[in-house]
Amino acid sequence: MQEGFLKRISATERQKEGYMKAVQIAKYSKNIQTLFHDIPVPKISDTEVLVSVKAAAVNPLELLILTGSVRLIQDYPMPLTLGNECSGIVEKAGQKVTGFQPGDRVYSRLPLNKIGAFAEYVAVDQRALAKMPDGYSFEVAAAIPLTGLTAYQGIIEQLETKPGDTLLIPGGSGSFGQMAVPIAKQLGLKVIVTGNARARDSILALGADQYIDYRKENYWEMLSGVDYLLDTLGAAEFDHELSVLKEGGRLLSLRTGPNRQFAVDNNCPPWKKALFTLAGSKYDKAAAKQGKEYRFIFVRADGGQLRKITEIVEKNQIMPAVDPHVFSLEQADQALKLVADGSAVGKVLIQI
């Protein structure tokens, strides 16, 4: 890391010289140990806006990036400012920006190749931005973009569902299910969710047609002929998930890993396509043997889709659960560790 990124400067110098506080990593590491220091406020292009960040969500994705687990999908130059989704206020807009102006309350899943929400300011391309839902706090709004877009892109683009189809979401009782269930219901799907007893009433209230308490019942012993499945649990659950799908059904995973179709969809170079084809061949072959299909998703930024999600959020008054712990930028390590140990009760947020 360059020396200039590590130095501490006074608040007066910081303001005068255009610096901001940010949480960064200097290299990939299995240990949760970030750097909190002063870096230059980002410059914006003609199509970007400068957002004064008010809240940033902490996701498992941050841990995957920090450890280098997704570097084959997206490798980052160092030092890297962490953070994939945030809410805030437009500070400045580029000359070619339309639809946003200083003072607007906005939120975003930041473009994959230009993240950096764990900072006082972030430069965001206008195509990745949307105005926040009316009446929502910055904290609640920051918990929406990543899960909302994952559900939207997964259900519409990858699963290509039709009204009347059945969608199963194993492990869908958390923040992802809170967004996926109302989006799926808005699209006319029958939705079945498995999860813990504590979340049963809230998930059913969002419109789920059936809820299975995983501690009392095994969904693979109860279900069959399911049209589509959205996996949040990973490879260990693959065989059970595949078994409940109908012939011609499709399993979309958020965690198991990329395959050939993922490489094709994302226009990966030949060497990466070969690697992902090999890595996913086990799952592709197992699914094909039963006349089914395996897919993998890594959510991308899309302001247009986020605006549609905003409409669904406002219409259904969706309020994603937010963990009661309050963290500052300087406490980013604590926030990341809370996500890592799995004890959070809702989205973990950094307030700025």
Side-chain angles (χ1 to χ4, degrees), residues 80-155:
L80 171 68
T81 303
L82 295 174
N84 283 271
E85 64 179 334
C86 64
S87 62
I89 298 174
V90 174
E91 187 89 0
K92 187 191 305 181
Q95 292 181 355
K96 296 181 181 178
V97 170
T98 58
F100 300 101
Q101 59 186 3
D104 285 345
R105 294 159 64 93
V106 295
Y107 67 159
S108 176
R109 185 276 188 259
L110 301 177
L112 185 60
N113 63 351
K114 197 173 182 183
I115 62 173
F118 293 2
E120 291 176 316
Y121 296 94
V122 65
V124 188
D125 189 283
Q126 63 177 340
R127 294 171 296 180
L129 206 60
K131 292 179 181 177
M132 282 171 39
D134 286 342
Y136 279 57
S137 68
F138 289 112
E139 291 73 28
V140 174
I144 294 171
L146 194 68
T147 50
L149 285 168
T150 302
Y152 192 89
Q153 291 170 16
I155 294 169

Side-chain angles (χ1 to χ4, degrees), residues 244-266:
V244 303
L245 280 176
K246 71 174 186 181
E247 187 172 350
R250 188 174 289 175
L251 187 163
L252 174 64
S253 180
L254 312 182
R255 294 188 58 184
T256 298
N259 62 346
R260 183 183 182 282
Q261 187 62 51
F262 175 83
V264 170
D265 291 345
N266 289 274

Side-chain angles (χ1 to χ4, degrees), residues 256-329:
T256 298
N259 62 346
R260 183 183 182 282
Q261 187 62 51
F262 175 83
V264 170
D265 291 345
N266 289 274
N267 298 312
C268 293
W271 69 269
K272 194 174 286 191
K273 186 181 294 183
L275 189 63
F276 288 159
T277 298
L278 180 63
S281 63
K282 171 184 175 182
Y283 307 107
D284 285 336
K285 289 176 181 177
K289 189 175 181 180
Q290 297 182 29
K292 303 166 187 179
E293 187 180 1
Y294 169 71
R295 293 281 185 97
F296 176 76
I297 186 173
F298 201 82
V299 66
R300 69 179 188 281
D302 191 313
Q305 290 182 349
L306 189 53
R307 285 190 285 277
K308 293 177 182 176
I309 291 164
T310 304
E311 293 175 7
I312 296 173
V313 166
E314 290 177 338
K315 178 180 177 181
N316 295 278
Q317 284 299 290
I318 300 169
M319 288 288 176
V322 172
D323 189 88
H325 294 87
V326 178
F327 297 98
S328 64
L329 276 176

